Amino acid sequence: MQPRLWLLIAAQLSALHGGSALMQTPPSMMAQTNQTVKLSCEARTFPTNTRIYWLRLRQALSANSHYEFLALWIPNGNPVYGKETEKQLTVLQDSSRYLLQLRHVKPADSGNYFCMAVGNPELTFGKGTRLSVVDVFPTTVQPTKKTRPKKKICRLPNLVPPKGPACAPLIIGLLVAGLLVLLVSLGAAVHVYCLQRRAWRRLMKQFCK
């Protein structure tokens, strides 16, 4: 079996059975370009003099993928860094927690980061932290609100005549004309009544002779 493929199988098996021994947090995270990122690996059941390796897997696990060595924490000694990562990485120890700090991250730094402890004879891997580096954080799309059609309001025409002096002469003229017609009609009625009285008196005089 090829050494690379053996390492991949060992990593998968140890991640299933040894995840509780090496606890990595957070499981996944997203960072923006040029930010500083801190990854944590807690060795609960290992002695404090355990050597901790940090590895990166840029692709999904397959026969062609490989782990990239990033750094090695040596208790009571100087950390060892990979050739291309020495200026970007810093490894620290805080009691049983081991920290990997990445400065000025870029999209090419995206991948799965694993901490590993070498035992005798087994290898123990953490479950990994998935890091995604983007130039701009994605924005959450707000759900579009459905606009309800506005109800049409039917308004009745205004029947109140507009106020103003324009109609006053016309109204006065109509009132005067109506009054004159009333007076003429009243005069005619009085005149007819008087003629009827006179005719009645003459008729009565003729019968009384």
Side-chain angles (χ1 to χ4, degrees):
M1 184 180 292
Q2 298 179 0
R4 181 184 298 176
L5 183 59
W6 174 84
L7 182 59
L8 291 174
I9 295 175
Q12 288 179 312
L13 294 175
S14 61
L16 292 175
H17 299 286
S20 59
L22 291 177
M23 189 68 180
Q24 287 191 243
T25 54
S28 63
M29 67 182 305
M30 180 178 290
Q32 199 169 5
T33 302
N34 291 328
Q35 284 186 336
T36 298
V37 175
K38 287 185 180 181
L39 308 179
S40 174
C41 176
E42 186 174 358
R44 295 180 177 180
T45 59
F46 288 86
T48 56
N49 59 351
T50 301
R51 293 188 174 191
I52 298 295
Y53 292 79
W54 285 96
L55 308 174
R56 177 169 58 194
L57 186 65
R58 296 183 185 271
Q59 303 174 354
L61 284 173
S62 66
N64 297 324
S65 59
H66 66 280
Y67 285 93
E68 177 185 357
F69 171 75
L70 299 178
L72 167 63
W73 172 260
I74 302 176
N76 302 322
N78 294 325
V80 179
Y81 297 96
K83 293 181 180 180
E84 298 180 358
T85 60
E86 183 176 2
K87 296 181 180 181
Q88 186 187 12
L89 302 180
T90 301
V91 288
L92 304 169
Q93 181 183 8
D94 181 12
S95 184
S96 62
R97 294 175 66 243
Y98 299 86
L99 302 176
L100 175 67
Q101 179 176 283
L102 295 87
R103 298 180 297 274
H104 306 293
V105 294
K106 51 189 179 298
D109 295 323
S110 299
N112 293 294
Y113 288 75
F114 295 89
C115 60
M116 181 188 71
V118 179
N120 189 14
E122 72 280 355
L123 299 176
T124 302
F125 280 76
K127 292 187 177 181
T129 295
R130 174 66 183 173
L131 175 64
S132 300
V133 183
V134 295
D135 292 328
V136 180
F137 286 122
T139 56
T140 303
V141 179
Q142 298 293 334
T144 56
K145 296 182 179 180
K146 294 183 179 180
T147 56
R148 296 182 178 179
K150 295 182 178 180
K151 295 182 179 179
K152 294 184 178 180
I153 301 175
C154 296
R155 295 183 178 180
L156 297 175
N158 191 2
L159 300 179
V160 179
K163 295 180 179 181
C167 297
L170 179 61
I171 295 174
I172 294 173
L174 292 175
L175 291 175
V176 171
L179 183 59
L180 291 176
V181 172
L182 182 61
L183 291 175
V184 171
S185 300
L186 183 60
V190 170
H191 180 68
V192 171
Y193 177 76
C194 291
L195 292 177
Q196 289 178 350
R197 292 284 296 176
R198 289 177 182 177
W200 176 257
R201 288 179 181 178
R202 290 176 182 176
L203 183 62
M204 291 299 294
K205 288 180 178 180
Q206 291 177 359
F207 278 106
C208 293
K209 286 181 179 182

